[in-house]
Amino acid sequence: MYGCQYVLKSVIIVRMATAGLEKKVKDNFLTCSICFEMYTDPCTLRCDHTFCRKCITSYIQTRPDAVQSKTIPCPCCRQDTKVPHPSRPVEEWAGQIKASIVIQGLIDTYRSDVAVQETSSTCCTICQQLGETTPGALWCPECEVALCDKCVKTHRVTPTSLNHDLCDLSSRSKVKRMIKCTEHKSNRVEFHCQDCGKAACQTCCIIYHRACKTVVTIESMKPGMKAALMEKRLGMEKRLKVRSKKVDIRNEKLESNSRITESALQNIRLICQTAISKIKQKETQLLDELNNISQTYAGKLQADVKMEEIEMQMYRQHCEFIDQALVSGCEMDLYDAYQVWESGAVKMEDVRDTEAADIRRIEDIIFTPDTDNVLKVLDNLQLGKTDVTYQDQGTCLPSLVLVDTRDGRVSGDDGEPYLQDVTVLVVDGVQTCVVTDYNNKCVKSFFTRNNHSSHSKLPLGNSPKGITQLNEKQVMVAVPLSLQIVTIEVTPDLVLLSTTKTRTGYDSLAVLNPSCLAAGTKERMDILDMAGHVLRSVITEKKTLLFAYPDYIFVTNKGNILVSDYGKKYVTCLTSEGDVLWRYAPAGDKALSYPCGITTTSTGDILLVDRDTYKVIQLTESGEFVRELLTLEDGGETGMRDIFCDKYGFLFLCTDTEVKEYVFV
């Protein structure tokens, strides 16, 4: 018996030590510091740091300086590794780095050991250490060993393990993880001190947390922790959706940028070709002019040469005539020659001068380039201008992108939906969109459960209109024709909690504080208590009616009341006491045609629906126009009603038949 106990104790210690060593080896030597996963095709840089080959490839593409310098900087120490063949594509650079054979061998060994452990996990761990193969019967989650029937008996009488809860091998993955106190090693961590923010065992509570006021069991915190984690997860999903949309938009902009750049490149080349063509034309003109002048000059020179040759021939003939007379010695021959000369038949004149005395003769042809002027003109030459349009990053919100659309039609509807108002809650980590349907006389909720779109429907017997959030899980709905305000719990299914009778039928609601709410009806706004009694009414300002049809009301973070009035065609901002702070009543092209839903963003900006123009208008916190944030192309078909912005930055636009979800990017 004692021998078995000793073996069991030794096996547990060795197993725990081995498991710890394996984890340290895996975490410190076999895990990539980029992806934090076990290496895939490991490669080692010059600095001896090792990474996955695919991770290095991705990392290089985020470092333009590395591409320019044709080196691979180490993500850990920044030391550069030269690429053997940088002329190859960047995607192939990591493939040129030497593989880490030693680390790959360790990975292969580790995986084979894990595979062996997995295949042998159904056998008794104790018996395996003794060289026997016995089928396991139970699993000890604290020792992390499988036990056969014989070893189970030993395990249950061993002092160090007699309190261990054993479970079936098939359900070992579902067993709750037990954590031991680091100081009192035999005690489990079961408590949490909310004052100190620390986990503790029972002994720690007695010794260190006696004076603390709030010490609770971790088990009692489970529902709250689960709800908080679900809400955190929802927030992460929202952020993931935003980032995904941003990535899509950036990729579209990259493609658009490539197209725009290519178009601009073609235009630059075209204007340069045009300029070069004009210079070529100038070159042709100058060459033609030079050619014409040169040919004219050459023609005149050739004519002069021909004339000179004629004169030379004439002079030769006269010389021969005189020579003959002189040689003959005859008086009559001499006399004839003399008479010819004296009679002027032969004149010693330049024939060219008498024939072309009035023609300007070309002396020389010289082309003097106007280099300075040409360079100056080229320097000042404006081929075009590159204009860049920047987004206004001032008071404007980012752009809206549609991410989802929820159809307001559900099974059991008597007719087409006619949605009036919308609000969005997060119930136990589940985003729930709640709307009022006037035609079908009900309230509807839309949510996603177990990755499936779901809905809930609560009939009210009469047509509901305004809706407002009472708390994290409850809403209040106005049913004007029944003179009622109903309170509904959102689980996210809808459950009717209570019905409050009022003296007047209200179209709009907004919770001012936990004890009162604002309610709008024809030509006035009442401040009610939660029992439906009128505390005070806001009707006139300086004996003039403030409202006509205040169908949409919203309370800002500062407690001010925003009232959208389609009868007066303006928005009024009041204090909780009913004093007017400002009014948005634009004229001309900016005039409102049918103001409806109104809400605020987390930054305080006001968003207003103008139904007839199918637009969402952005105002500042003080009611100044900023821009038209959104225009629905199909607004005439769907009809815009209400708007709501949640804390994650998502905007929900309620139309007559559907709810559109947008994200700011």
Side-chain angles (χ1 to χ4, degrees), residues 24-51:
K24 286 184 178 179
V25 170
K26 178 178 178 293
D27 293 345
N28 297 333
F29 300 102
L30 304 181
T31 300
C32 175
S33 59
I34 296 178
C35 64
F36 300 106
E37 300 289 341
M38 187 177 288
Y39 289 121
T40 302
D41 190 11
C43 62
T44 302
L45 301 180
R46 179 185 177 187
C47 54
D48 291 330
H49 286 126
T50 303
F51 307 93

PDB file of all heavy atoms in Angstrom, residues 24-51:
ATOM      1  N   LYS A  24       7.523  25.552 -20.393  1.00  0.00           N
ATOM      2  CA  LYS A  24       8.577  26.567 -20.480  1.00  0.00           C
ATOM      3  C   LYS A  24       9.350  26.452 -21.783  1.00  0.00           C
ATOM      4  O   LYS A  24       9.664  27.449 -22.433  1.00  0.00           O
ATOM      5  CB  LYS A  24       9.532  26.432 -19.285  1.00  0.00           C
ATOM      6  CG  LYS A  24       8.939  26.930 -17.972  1.00  0.00           C
ATOM      7  CD  LYS A  24       9.966  26.850 -16.852  1.00  0.00           C
ATOM      8  CE  LYS A  24       9.386  27.388 -15.549  1.00  0.00           C
ATOM      9  NZ  LYS A  24      10.365  27.306 -14.440  1.00  0.00           N
ATOM     10  N   VAL A  25       9.661  25.203 -22.177  1.00  0.00           N
ATOM     11  CA  VAL A  25      10.395  24.992 -23.441  1.00  0.00           C
ATOM     12  C   VAL A  25       9.566  25.501 -24.611  1.00  0.00           C
ATOM     13  O   VAL A  25      10.064  26.203 -25.503  1.00  0.00           O
ATOM     14  CB  VAL A  25      10.741  23.495 -23.620  1.00  0.00           C
ATOM     15  CG1 VAL A  25      11.271  23.239 -25.026  1.00  0.00           C
ATOM     16  CG2 VAL A  25      11.776  23.074 -22.589  1.00  0.00           C
ATOM     17  N   LYS A  26       8.277  25.145 -24.598  1.00  0.00           N
ATOM     18  CA  LYS A  26       7.405  25.573 -25.706  1.00  0.00           C
ATOM     19  C   LYS A  26       7.277  27.088 -25.756  1.00  0.00           C
ATOM     20  O   LYS A  26       7.417  27.703 -26.813  1.00  0.00           O
ATOM     21  CB  LYS A  26       6.021  24.941 -25.552  1.00  0.00           C
ATOM     22  CG  LYS A  26       5.017  25.346 -26.630  1.00  0.00           C
ATOM     23  CD  LYS A  26       3.698  24.649 -26.418  1.00  0.00           C
ATOM     24  CE  LYS A  26       2.679  25.092 -27.460  1.00  0.00           C
ATOM     25  NZ  LYS A  26       2.299  26.505 -27.290  1.00  0.00           N
ATOM     26  N   ASP A  27       7.036  27.721 -24.589  1.00  0.00           N
ATOM     27  CA  ASP A  27       6.811  29.170 -24.565  1.00  0.00           C
ATOM     28  C   ASP A  27       8.077  29.958 -24.859  1.00  0.00           C
ATOM     29  O   ASP A  27       8.031  30.997 -25.525  1.00  0.00           O
ATOM     30  CB  ASP A  27       6.244  29.593 -23.208  1.00  0.00           C
ATOM     31  CG  ASP A  27       4.833  29.054 -22.988  1.00  0.00           C
ATOM     32  OD1 ASP A  27       4.224  28.626 -23.978  1.00  0.00           O
ATOM     33  OD2 ASP A  27       4.367  29.060 -21.831  1.00  0.00           O
ATOM     34  N   ASN A  28       9.220  29.484 -24.361  1.00  0.00           N
ATOM     35  CA  ASN A  28      10.460  30.263 -24.468  1.00  0.00           C
ATOM     36  C   ASN A  28      11.295  29.953 -25.703  1.00  0.00           C
ATOM     37  O   ASN A  28      12.082  30.795 -26.142  1.00  0.00           O
ATOM     38  CB  ASN A  28      11.324  30.055 -23.218  1.00  0.00           C
ATOM     39  CG  ASN A  28      10.643  30.567 -21.959  1.00  0.00           C
ATOM     40  OD1 ASN A  28       9.820  31.467 -22.011  1.00  0.00           O
ATOM     41  ND2 ASN A  28      10.985  29.973 -20.818  1.00  0.00           N
ATOM     42  N   PHE A  29      11.146  28.740 -26.250  1.00  0.00           N
ATOM     43  CA  PHE A  29      12.042  28.346 -27.341  1.00  0.00           C
ATOM     44  C   PHE A  29      11.319  27.913 -28.612  1.00  0.00           C
ATOM     45  O   PHE A  29      11.942  27.859 -29.675  1.00  0.00           O
ATOM     46  CB  PHE A  29      12.965  27.202 -26.877  1.00  0.00           C
ATOM     47  CG  PHE A  29      13.823  27.566 -25.702  1.00  0.00           C
ATOM     48  CD1 PHE A  29      13.493  27.143 -24.421  1.00  0.00           C
ATOM     49  CD2 PHE A  29      14.952  28.353 -25.865  1.00  0.00           C
ATOM     50  CE1 PHE A  29      14.271  27.486 -23.326  1.00  0.00           C
ATOM     51  CE2 PHE A  29      15.739  28.698 -24.782  1.00  0.00           C
ATOM     52  CZ  PHE A  29      15.406  28.266 -23.504  1.00  0.00           C
ATOM     53  N   LEU A  30      10.053  27.576 -28.530  1.00  0.00           N
ATOM     54  CA  LEU A  30       9.353  27.053 -29.711  1.00  0.00           C
ATOM     55  C   LEU A  30       8.198  27.942 -30.156  1.00  0.00           C
ATOM     56  O   LEU A  30       7.408  27.542 -31.005  1.00  0.00           O
ATOM     57  CB  LEU A  30       8.823  25.635 -29.432  1.00  0.00           C
ATOM     58  CG  LEU A  30       9.852  24.593 -28.993  1.00  0.00           C
ATOM     59  CD1 LEU A  30       9.177  23.248 -28.774  1.00  0.00           C
ATOM     60  CD2 LEU A  30      10.971  24.470 -30.026  1.00  0.00           C
ATOM     61  N   THR A  31       8.114  29.146 -29.584  1.00  0.00           N
ATOM     62  CA  THR A  31       7.005  30.041 -29.909  1.00  0.00           C
ATOM     63  C   THR A  31       7.513  31.285 -30.620  1.00  0.00           C
ATOM     64  O   THR A  31       8.459  31.935 -30.144  1.00  0.00           O
ATOM     65  CB  THR A  31       6.242  30.452 -28.634  1.00  0.00           C
ATOM     66  OG1 THR A  31       5.727  29.271 -28.009  1.00  0.00           O
ATOM     67  CG2 THR A  31       5.086  31.383 -28.968  1.00  0.00           C
ATOM     68  N   CYS A  32       6.902  31.610 -31.735  1.00  0.00           N
ATOM     69  CA  CYS A  32       7.265  32.800 -32.519  1.00  0.00           C
ATOM     70  C   CYS A  32       6.812  34.052 -31.770  1.00  0.00           C
ATOM     71  O   CYS A  32       5.678  34.124 -31.298  1.00  0.00           O
ATOM     72  CB  CYS A  32       6.609  32.742 -33.903  1.00  0.00           C
ATOM     73  SG  CYS A  32       6.860  34.217 -34.910  1.00  0.00           S
ATOM     74  N   SER A  33       7.684  35.051 -31.661  1.00  0.00           N
ATOM     75  CA  SER A  33       7.356  36.272 -30.923  1.00  0.00           C
ATOM     76  C   SER A  33       6.527  37.249 -31.742  1.00  0.00           C
ATOM     77  O   SER A  33       6.186  38.328 -31.250  1.00  0.00           O
ATOM     78  CB  SER A  33       8.648  36.957 -30.461  1.00  0.00           C
ATOM     79  OG  SER A  33       9.460  37.267 -31.572  1.00  0.00           O
ATOM     80  N   ILE A  34       6.206  36.886 -32.995  1.00  0.00           N
ATOM     81  CA  ILE A  34       5.338  37.740 -33.814  1.00  0.00           C
ATOM     82  C   ILE A  34       3.899  37.267 -33.730  1.00  0.00           C
ATOM     83  O   ILE A  34       2.986  38.021 -33.418  1.00  0.00           O
ATOM     84  CB  ILE A  34       5.811  37.775 -35.283  1.00  0.00           C
ATOM     85  CG1 ILE A  34       7.206  38.426 -35.376  1.00  0.00           C
ATOM     86  CG2 ILE A  34       4.817  38.538 -36.157  1.00  0.00           C
ATOM     87  CD1 ILE A  34       7.769  38.464 -36.776  1.00  0.00           C
ATOM     88  N   CYS A  35       3.669  35.975 -34.007  1.00  0.00           N
ATOM     89  CA  CYS A  35       2.295  35.445 -34.005  1.00  0.00           C
ATOM     90  C   CYS A  35       1.939  34.753 -32.693  1.00  0.00           C
ATOM     91  O   CYS A  35       0.788  34.391 -32.477  1.00  0.00           O
ATOM     92  CB  CYS A  35       2.094  34.479 -35.172  1.00  0.00           C
ATOM     93  SG  CYS A  35       3.127  32.985 -35.072  1.00  0.00           S
ATOM     94  N   PHE A  36       2.949  34.541 -31.802  1.00  0.00           N
ATOM     95  CA  PHE A  36       2.757  33.884 -30.507  1.00  0.00           C
ATOM     96  C   PHE A  36       2.186  32.476 -30.653  1.00  0.00           C
ATOM     97  O   PHE A  36       1.456  31.993 -29.791  1.00  0.00           O
ATOM     98  CB  PHE A  36       1.855  34.730 -29.590  1.00  0.00           C
ATOM     99  CG  PHE A  36       2.411  36.087 -29.297  1.00  0.00           C
ATOM    100  CD1 PHE A  36       1.873  37.209 -29.899  1.00  0.00           C
ATOM    101  CD2 PHE A  36       3.487  36.244 -28.431  1.00  0.00           C
ATOM    102  CE1 PHE A  36       2.385  38.466 -29.651  1.00  0.00           C
ATOM    103  CE2 PHE A  36       4.000  37.506 -28.169  1.00  0.00           C
ATOM    104  CZ  PHE A  36       3.459  38.616 -28.781  1.00  0.00           C
ATOM    105  N   GLU A  37       2.490  31.828 -31.734  1.00  0.00           N
ATOM    106  CA  GLU A  37       2.137  30.429 -31.958  1.00  0.00           C
ATOM    107  C   GLU A  37       3.422  29.631 -32.134  1.00  0.00           C
ATOM    108  O   GLU A  37       4.507  30.191 -32.305  1.00  0.00           O
ATOM    109  CB  GLU A  37       1.256  30.286 -33.213  1.00  0.00           C
ATOM    110  CG  GLU A  37      -0.066  31.050 -33.163  1.00  0.00           C
ATOM    111  CD  GLU A  37      -1.052  30.453 -32.191  1.00  0.00           C
ATOM    112  OE1 GLU A  37      -0.863  29.273 -31.830  1.00  0.00           O
ATOM    113  OE2 GLU A  37      -2.008  31.150 -31.797  1.00  0.00           O
ATOM    114  N   MET A  38       3.277  28.295 -32.069  1.00  0.00           N
ATOM    115  CA  MET A  38       4.449  27.466 -32.309  1.00  0.00           C
ATOM    116  C   MET A  38       4.959  27.706 -33.735  1.00  0.00           C
ATOM    117  O   MET A  38       4.169  27.920 -34.653  1.00  0.00           O
ATOM    118  CB  MET A  38       4.106  25.994 -32.095  1.00  0.00           C
ATOM    119  CG  MET A  38       5.334  25.077 -32.164  1.00  0.00           C
ATOM    120  SD  MET A  38       4.942  23.353 -31.816  1.00  0.00           S
ATOM    121  CE  MET A  38       4.642  23.437 -30.066  1.00  0.00           C
ATOM    122  N   TYR A  39       6.300  27.690 -33.864  1.00  0.00           N
ATOM    123  CA  TYR A  39       6.915  28.015 -35.153  1.00  0.00           C
ATOM    124  C   TYR A  39       6.322  27.181 -36.294  1.00  0.00           C
ATOM    125  O   TYR A  39       6.066  25.987 -36.153  1.00  0.00           O
ATOM    126  CB  TYR A  39       8.414  27.757 -35.108  1.00  0.00           C
ATOM    127  CG  TYR A  39       9.189  28.736 -34.258  1.00  0.00           C
ATOM    128  CD1 TYR A  39       9.947  28.298 -33.174  1.00  0.00           C
ATOM    129  CD2 TYR A  39       9.176  30.088 -34.534  1.00  0.00           C
ATOM    130  CE1 TYR A  39      10.674  29.182 -32.391  1.00  0.00           C
ATOM    131  CE2 TYR A  39       9.899  30.987 -33.763  1.00  0.00           C
ATOM    132  CZ  TYR A  39      10.638  30.525 -32.698  1.00  0.00           C
ATOM    133  OH  TYR A  39      11.348  31.410 -31.938  1.00  0.00           O
ATOM    134  N   THR A  40       6.125  27.845 -37.426  1.00  0.00           N
ATOM    135  CA  THR A  40       5.785  27.175 -38.674  1.00  0.00           C
ATOM    136  C   THR A  40       6.880  27.505 -39.676  1.00  0.00           C
ATOM    137  O   THR A  40       7.057  28.669 -40.038  1.00  0.00           O
ATOM    138  CB  THR A  40       4.418  27.658 -39.207  1.00  0.00           C
ATOM    139  OG1 THR A  40       3.425  27.405 -38.213  1.00  0.00           O
ATOM    140  CG2 THR A  40       4.052  26.942 -40.489  1.00  0.00           C
ATOM    141  N   ASP A  41       7.644  26.486 -40.089  1.00  0.00           N
ATOM    142  CA  ASP A  41       8.783  26.686 -40.995  1.00  0.00           C
ATOM    143  C   ASP A  41       9.728  27.747 -40.431  1.00  0.00           C
ATOM    144  O   ASP A  41       9.899  28.829 -40.984  1.00  0.00           O
ATOM    145  CB  ASP A  41       8.284  27.103 -42.382  1.00  0.00           C
ATOM    146  CG  ASP A  41       9.415  27.082 -43.419  1.00  0.00           C
ATOM    147  OD1 ASP A  41      10.505  26.552 -43.109  1.00  0.00           O
ATOM    148  OD2 ASP A  41       9.199  27.613 -44.522  1.00  0.00           O
ATOM    149  N   PRO A  42      10.377  27.461 -39.271  1.00  0.00           N
ATOM    150  CA  PRO A  42      11.219  28.471 -38.618  1.00  0.00           C
ATOM    151  C   PRO A  42      12.457  28.824 -39.436  1.00  0.00           C
ATOM    152  O   PRO A  42      13.059  27.963 -40.080  1.00  0.00           O
ATOM    153  CB  PRO A  42      11.602  27.791 -37.295  1.00  0.00           C
ATOM    154  CG  PRO A  42      11.507  26.330 -37.579  1.00  0.00           C
ATOM    155  CD  PRO A  42      10.387  26.176 -38.555  1.00  0.00           C
ATOM    156  N   CYS A  43      12.826  30.104 -39.411  1.00  0.00           N
ATOM    157  CA  CYS A  43      14.062  30.564 -40.054  1.00  0.00           C
ATOM    158  C   CYS A  43      14.767  31.504 -39.091  1.00  0.00           C
ATOM    159  O   CYS A  43      14.125  32.249 -38.350  1.00  0.00           O
ATOM    160  CB  CYS A  43      13.773  31.240 -41.391  1.00  0.00           C
ATOM    161  SG  CYS A  43      12.748  32.710 -41.270  1.00  0.00           S
ATOM    162  N   THR A  44      16.098  31.466 -39.084  1.00  0.00           N
ATOM    163  CA  THR A  44      16.900  32.226 -38.130  1.00  0.00           C
ATOM    164  C   THR A  44      17.636  33.343 -38.843  1.00  0.00           C
ATOM    165  O   THR A  44      18.301  33.120 -39.860  1.00  0.00           O
ATOM    166  CB  THR A  44      17.907  31.299 -37.425  1.00  0.00           C
ATOM    167  OG1 THR A  44      17.192  30.241 -36.773  1.00  0.00           O
ATOM    168  CG2 THR A  44      18.710  32.067 -36.388  1.00  0.00           C
ATOM    169  N   LEU A  45      17.537  34.575 -38.301  1.00  0.00           N
ATOM    170  CA  LEU A  45      18.204  35.732 -38.883  1.00  0.00           C
ATOM    171  C   LEU A  45      19.658  35.784 -38.419  1.00  0.00           C
ATOM    172  O   LEU A  45      20.118  34.961 -37.617  1.00  0.00           O
ATOM    173  CB  LEU A  45      17.465  37.009 -38.472  1.00  0.00           C
ATOM    174  CG  LEU A  45      15.990  37.091 -38.890  1.00  0.00           C
ATOM    175  CD1 LEU A  45      15.388  38.412 -38.423  1.00  0.00           C
ATOM    176  CD2 LEU A  45      15.850  36.960 -40.394  1.00  0.00           C
ATOM    177  N   ARG A  46      20.360  36.763 -38.905  1.00  0.00           N
ATOM    178  CA  ARG A  46      21.788  36.894 -38.606  1.00  0.00           C
ATOM    179  C   ARG A  46      22.038  37.061 -37.108  1.00  0.00           C
ATOM    180  O   ARG A  46      23.056  36.620 -36.582  1.00  0.00           O
ATOM    181  CB  ARG A  46      22.330  38.111 -39.365  1.00  0.00           C
ATOM    182  CG  ARG A  46      23.794  38.398 -39.134  1.00  0.00           C
ATOM    183  CD  ARG A  46      24.201  39.681 -39.822  1.00  0.00           C
ATOM    184  NE  ARG A  46      25.583  40.016 -39.552  1.00  0.00           N
ATOM    185  CZ  ARG A  46      26.171  41.152 -39.908  1.00  0.00           C
ATOM    186  NH1 ARG A  46      25.462  42.045 -40.576  1.00  0.00           N
ATOM    187  NH2 ARG A  46      27.427  41.395 -39.631  1.00  0.00           N
ATOM    188  N   CYS A  47      21.072  37.688 -36.407  1.00  0.00           N
ATOM    189  CA  CYS A  47      21.223  37.941 -34.977  1.00  0.00           C
ATOM    190  C   CYS A  47      20.856  36.726 -34.132  1.00  0.00           C
ATOM    191  O   CYS A  47      20.833  36.803 -32.903  1.00  0.00           O
ATOM    192  CB  CYS A  47      20.356  39.126 -34.573  1.00  0.00           C
ATOM    193  SG  CYS A  47      18.630  38.933 -35.066  1.00  0.00           S
ATOM    194  N   ASP A  48      20.527  35.589 -34.785  1.00  0.00           N
ATOM    195  CA  ASP A  48      20.166  34.320 -34.143  1.00  0.00           C
ATOM    196  C   ASP A  48      18.759  34.323 -33.550  1.00  0.00           C
ATOM    197  O   ASP A  48      18.393  33.400 -32.817  1.00  0.00           O
ATOM    198  CB  ASP A  48      21.176  33.925 -33.044  1.00  0.00           C
ATOM    199  CG  ASP A  48      22.525  33.559 -33.648  1.00  0.00           C
ATOM    200  OD1 ASP A  48      22.541  33.072 -34.801  1.00  0.00           O
ATOM    201  OD2 ASP A  48      23.548  33.781 -32.984  1.00  0.00           O
ATOM    202  N   HIS A  49      17.960  35.334 -33.842  1.00  0.00           N
ATOM    203  CA  HIS A  49      16.547  35.297 -33.459  1.00  0.00           C
ATOM    204  C   HIS A  49      15.777  34.537 -34.524  1.00  0.00           C
ATOM    205  O   HIS A  49      16.025  34.698 -35.723  1.00  0.00           O
ATOM    206  CB  HIS A  49      15.975  36.711 -33.313  1.00  0.00           C
ATOM    207  CG  HIS A  49      16.432  37.400 -32.069  1.00  0.00           C
ATOM    208  ND1 HIS A  49      17.028  38.639 -32.064  1.00  0.00           N
ATOM    209  CD2 HIS A  49      16.383  37.010 -30.767  1.00  0.00           C
ATOM    210  CE1 HIS A  49      17.319  38.994 -30.835  1.00  0.00           C
ATOM    211  NE2 HIS A  49      16.943  38.015 -30.018  1.00  0.00           N
ATOM    212  N   THR A  50      14.816  33.723 -34.068  1.00  0.00           N
ATOM    213  CA  THR A  50      14.072  32.837 -34.973  1.00  0.00           C
ATOM    214  C   THR A  50      12.609  33.251 -35.035  1.00  0.00           C
ATOM    215  O   THR A  50      12.017  33.627 -34.019  1.00  0.00           O
ATOM    216  CB  THR A  50      14.189  31.378 -34.502  1.00  0.00           C
ATOM    217  OG1 THR A  50      15.579  31.021 -34.418  1.00  0.00           O
ATOM    218  CG2 THR A  50      13.483  30.433 -35.469  1.00  0.00           C
ATOM    219  N   PHE A  51      12.041  33.152 -36.247  1.00  0.00           N
ATOM    220  CA  PHE A  51      10.637  33.502 -36.472  1.00  0.00           C
ATOM    221  C   PHE A  51      10.050  32.566 -37.520  1.00  0.00           C
ATOM    222  O   PHE A  51      10.788  31.884 -38.241  1.00  0.00           O
ATOM    223  CB  PHE A  51      10.494  34.951 -36.972  1.00  0.00           C
ATOM    224  CG  PHE A  51      11.172  35.963 -36.107  1.00  0.00           C
ATOM    225  CD1 PHE A  51      12.478  36.360 -36.369  1.00  0.00           C
ATOM    226  CD2 PHE A  51      10.515  36.517 -35.021  1.00  0.00           C
ATOM    227  CE1 PHE A  51      13.120  37.292 -35.566  1.00  0.00           C
ATOM    228  CE2 PHE A  51      11.135  37.449 -34.220  1.00  0.00           C
ATOM    229  CZ  PHE A  51      12.440  37.840 -34.490  1.00  0.00           C
TER     230      PHE A  51
END
